[in-house]
Amino acid sequence: MSQPTGVIHDIGYQRYTGVRLGRRHLVGTLYLHGLRAAFGLGRSAKAKIFPWMIVGVVGAIAAVLTAFRAQTGEPVMSYAEFPQTLTILIIFFCAIVAPELASRDLHSGVLPLYFARPLRRGDYALARLAALVSATFLLLAGPLTVMFAGAAFGAPRIGAVWDEFVDYLAALGYVAVHAVVFSVLALLVAALLRRRAVAAGAIVGAFLLTTPLYGVLMVLPYERATQLAGLASPVTLVGGIGDWAFESGGDVGIGGYGPLYALVALLFVALGILLLARYRKVAAK
């Protein structure tokens, strides 16, 4: 009978005896990683080109508006009009960032590694969504702050600074509405597609393909149809909320349906729950 010839080598592996930070730390780390990835931080120069190009364009527009107001003393547009004017840039930003946060992980198949930790399926989706919402908010809030600072320094009296501050806060609320609604739709589409290029195109299409329906409703000879037409598209839905709640003295073309627009927006955001269902499905594979 032959003797066993196997040898056990001690190669230095040791049990981990440090602090286990747990689920909350994992969610926070995942959120910070997503926020950094949104702007290409910690990644190659190629990953920084498109997001920072949009950041640069938005910042340049804010700088021009601030300089013009400093020279003439009159604002070109209100703070609340600023995000509405840049809607197409917000869409492109979400179309670039959302696939980086969701489609990349789907394509590379790393989700089972995430879920091997004490991390729930919903934690992952909500952390990614929070990162995209924060990145979109910062995209607009930074330039708005520049515009407010320029107006405040040029204000003739303290009371005017306070008025500017109130309008600035209202605009930040409007920016938050943009960030939440646009991010939910963008990440939901990206979570269903594994290829980033395809996901980016699908996100832009999801925003723009609803515009013709809005146009058809607007030409109908019924006042109620034109007032409710904004519900047909995420872009016009957010615009209707802005006219109702954030733009004082604006052209309220939605009649008395402002609360309905807000309710539809809340229900639309609730569709983010589909993200959780998607990641349960992925995790089961």
Side-chain angles (χ1 to χ4, degrees), residues 13-253:
Y13 286 122
Q14 299 180 13
R15 296 181 64 85
Y16 177 73
T17 58
V19 178
R20 298 186 182 275
L21 299 175
R23 175 187 165 204
R24 180 180 300 180
H25 179 77
L26 287 173
V27 174
T29 301
L30 191 60
Y31 163 76
L32 291 177
H33 174 268
L35 186 58
R36 286 171 55 84
F39 295 101
L41 301 179
R43 301 184 58 194
S44 65
K46 182 180 177 181
K48 297 179 176 67
I49 293 176
F50 291 109
W52 283 103
M53 183 184 299
I54 295 177
V55 170
V57 172
V58 175
I61 293 173
V64 170
L65 294 176
T66 303
F68 185 86
R69 182 170 185 175
Q71 292 292 326
T72 64
E74 296 293 332
V76 178
M77 65 178 65
S78 67
Y79 296 116
E81 289 175 332
F82 182 73
Q84 265 188 316
T85 306
L86 302 177
T87 296
I88 191 65
L89 290 178
I90 304 172
I91 293 174
F92 283 146
F93 182 79
C94 290
I96 292 168
V97 174
E100 290 292 329
L101 299 181
S103 302
R104 175 184 287 272
D105 289 344
L106 285 171
H107 183 69
S108 58
V110 299
L111 287 178
L113 298 179
Y114 280 120
F115 301 142
R117 306 297 180 184
L119 187 73
R120 297 178 182 176
R121 278 60 172 169
D123 293 339
Y124 175 88
L126 293 178
R128 290 307 200 192
L129 178 59
L132 181 56
V133 170
S134 299
T136 308
F137 180 82
L138 291 174
L139 171 70
L140 299 171
L144 271 178
T145 303
V146 172
M147 294 171 60
F148 166 70
F153 280 114
R157 51 189 175 81
I158 297 298
V161 176
W162 175 253
D163 293 338
E164 293 287 340
F165 183 67
V166 172
D167 293 340
Y168 166 70
L169 288 182
L172 288 183
Y174 193 25
V175 166
V177 173
H178 274 86
V180 172
V181 174
F182 283 28
S183 296
V184 165
L185 178 57
L187 198 61
L188 178 60
V189 174
L192 300 174
L193 298 168
R194 295 176 179 270
R195 296 190 176 276
R196 285 174 291 165
V198 175
I203 290 169
V204 174
F207 281 101
L208 299 184
L209 289 180
T210 53
T211 304
L213 178 58
Y214 168 75
V216 170
L217 293 175
M218 285 297 294
V219 299
L220 292 178
Y222 305 104
E223 182 180 10
R224 181 171 297 179
T226 59
Q227 292 173 343
L228 295 175
L231 299 175
S233 169
V235 175
T236 53
L237 174 65
V238 173
I241 295 174
D243 290 341
W244 169 63
F246 297 105
E247 278 196 77
S248 58
D251 180 20
V252 183

